[in-house]
Amino acid sequence: EGGHTPTYTPQLSEEHTSVLMLTVFLSFCLASLLTCWHLSTTVKITIDSVPSQVVEGENVLLRANNLPQNLLTFAWFKGVTNMNFRIALYTLTTNLSMVGPENSGREVVYSNGSLWIKNVSQNDTGFYILQTVNIGGKIVSTATTYLHVYASLFTCGHPPPSAQPTIELVPPSVAEGASVLLLVDNLPENLKALFWYKGVFAVKKFEVARHIRAIDSSVQGPAHSGRELLFSNGSLLLHNVIGNDSGFYTLRTLSTDLKAEIAHVQLQVDKPVTQPIIRVINTTVTVQTSVVFTCFTADTGISIHWIFNNQSLQLTERMKLSPTKCQLSIDPVMGEDAGKYQCEVSNKVSSKTSLPVRLDVMDK
């Protein structure tokens, strides 16, 4: 009426709104996949010590790996029982650090999350915690490492016979389903008993097993899963490991003079990688055009390597890799680029190679 064209405002039901939001979300995910599928946000922070063994008087870097994106702050703490023992707090928005009550004046924090400790002493031995907070004020992740500072009385790089017990992982990297030995060195000569615990606390409920030297007998504890075997030399064998086996293990030794010693080791159980897939929009191109290969993988914490005609790809000035190496671009394409392309993904315990994708290059 009145010559006016009626207008209508669509009213979406709650169900339709949910479907629309889901569609937008899936479209966003698909666009991300077309760029590169690399779920870096799910990678856990890890900490390693550089050098791996440190002696009194040396410097050590507790290096943080896989720091999350969009962080507001991160903080380092000494110990595992009281988060008030802060060493330093770093704010990324201002690139400023603030020392805490546990700062001795020898610690320096870096914007990549790492902690530098100068002129270490045996008092620096212990657990260190790195905690990250995102821009929303939420704790994103927490990582723990154990630093052991050895006495300076080393001979030819080896600790003296009176050194504290140490633990070595054999092999150092282990995949789900495999076995690993927690190999013990430097047990006291006058050993009375030894105890293994799952975690950082030497308390009864976390006890895996104990060995009594006088009667040469081992007893299982409450935390024994049925897959652990304790040897009389103190070493602990874990069979058919699973992801839940990851974490710290504590060894407590008791000598005949009732002197107790504590040692820790951290075990990381990794999943074997799955086979990646290569995608390319067009497998037949003409010279002087461009082509982009994308390596798709659901695995995180991996390295990517490219293969051309069953040999390691030698990059030319016409080839570029994305920062995570999941994309290979060639611009411009030349005749010698024709052939089979594959990508290989690997972690500490396994590797898998994609099926080959053949690129044909035609003359104009």
Side-chain angles (χ1 to χ4, degrees):
E1 277 184 28
H4 294 287
T5 302
T7 58
Y8 299 92
T9 302
Q11 299 295 322
L12 295 179
S13 67
E14 183 177 346
E15 179 181 359
H16 288 160
T17 302
S18 299
V19 171
L20 179 60
M21 292 178 64
L22 179 60
T23 303
V24 173
F25 175 75
L26 291 177
S27 299
F28 173 79
C29 290
L30 180 59
S32 299
L33 288 176
L34 290 176
T35 302
C36 211
W37 190 8
H38 189 72
L39 308 180
S40 58
T41 55
T42 62
V43 180
K44 292 183 178 179
I45 294 180
T46 60
I47 304 170
D48 53 13
S49 173
V50 183
S52 58
Q53 291 187 339
V54 61
V55 181
E56 281 187 311
E58 293 184 339
N59 302 327
V60 63
L61 178 68
L62 300 182
R63 182 172 58 189
N65 306 296
N66 308 319
L67 204 67
Q69 301 295 318
N70 300 322
L71 288 184
L72 175 65
T73 63
F74 62 81
W76 277 96
F77 301 86
K78 177 72 183 297
V80 294
T81 58
N82 193 331
M83 298 302 281
N84 290 326
F85 295 155
R86 189 176 71 236
I87 299 172
L89 174 73
Y90 192 96
T91 304
L92 284 87
T93 54
T94 58
N95 289 325
L96 293 176
S97 62
M98 181 172 64
V99 299
E102 283 297 304
N103 194 294
S104 68
R106 297 177 292 110
E107 297 87 358
V108 178
V109 290
Y110 297 100
S111 58
N112 65 0
S114 300
L115 176 68
W116 176 259
I117 308 176
K118 296 179 285 187
N119 191 26
V120 296
S121 69
Q122 287 191 287
N123 289 334
D124 295 315
T125 294
F127 287 95
Y128 290 80
I129 296 176
L130 171 62
Q131 189 176 83
T132 63
V133 178
N134 65 15
I135 55 177
K138 179 182 178 181
I139 295 176
V140 180
S141 56
T142 301
T144 306
T145 190
Y146 183 77
L147 174 66
H148 188 102
V149 179
Y150 293 93
S152 58
L153 301 177
F154 277 35
T155 303
C156 298
H158 297 283
S162 60
Q164 293 181 339
T166 59
I167 308 167
E168 177 186 0
L169 296 177
V170 182
S173 300
V174 60
E176 285 186 339
S179 298
V180 61
L181 180 67
L182 280 57
L183 180 65
V184 178
D185 292 316
N186 307 317
L187 280 177
E189 293 183 0
N190 58 341
L191 180 69
K192 180 179 181 179
L194 59 87
F195 309 80
W196 275 102
Y197 302 89
K198 177 67 167 68
V200 299
F201 301 110
V203 295
K204 179 64 178 179
K205 67 177 181 178
F206 298 137
E207 185 181 326
V208 176
R210 68 176 65 185
H211 183 84
I212 310 302
R213 176 64 65 84
I215 58 176
D216 194 23
S217 176
S218 297
V219 180
Q220 296 177 0
H224 198 282
S225 70
R227 296 178 290 107
E228 297 90 354
L229 178 62
L230 177 58
F231 297 100
S232 58
N233 67 357
S235 299
L236 184 68
L237 180 65
L238 277 63
H239 289 290
N240 191 27
V241 295
I242 59 177
N244 287 339
D245 293 325
S246 295
F248 283 95
Y249 289 78
T250 298
L251 171 68
R252 184 168 72 94
T253 62
L254 186 65
S255 58
T256 54
D257 59 2
L258 301 183
K259 180 182 178 182
E261 298 281 4
I262 295 285
H264 304 276
V265 69
Q266 186 175 15
L267 172 66
Q268 176 62 45
V269 179
D270 294 301
K271 288 186 176 181
V273 296
T274 55
Q275 186 177 36
I277 300 172
I278 288 184
R279 288 287 183 265
V280 59
I281 295 177
N282 196 345
T283 57
T284 301
V285 298
T286 57
V287 295
Q288 298 300 322
T289 59
S290 62
V291 66
V292 177
F293 298 93
T294 303
C295 183
F296 289 85
T297 175
D299 299 301
T300 59
I302 48 93
S303 298
I304 297 179
H305 176 70
W306 287 90
I307 298 170
F308 177 60
N309 289 337
N310 299 318
Q311 294 184 350
S312 179
L313 175 66
Q314 303 298 314
L315 293 177
T316 68
E317 60 183 11
R318 296 179 292 105
M319 299 178 179
K320 291 183 179 180
L321 291 176
S322 64
T324 58
K325 299 185 180 180
C326 60
Q327 278 192 338
L328 168 67
S329 60
I330 308 175
D331 185 17
V333 175
M334 305 297 289
E336 59 264 29
D337 299 323
K340 295 186 299 182
Y341 289 82
Q342 293 170 280
C343 66
E344 179 188 63
V345 299
S346 61
N347 60 13
K348 293 180 180 179
V349 298
S350 65
S351 64
K352 286 287 181 66
T353 304
S354 69
L355 294 175
V357 172
R358 181 171 184 84
L359 180 68
D360 293 316
V361 180
M362 310 295 292
D363 292 330
K364 288 186 178 180

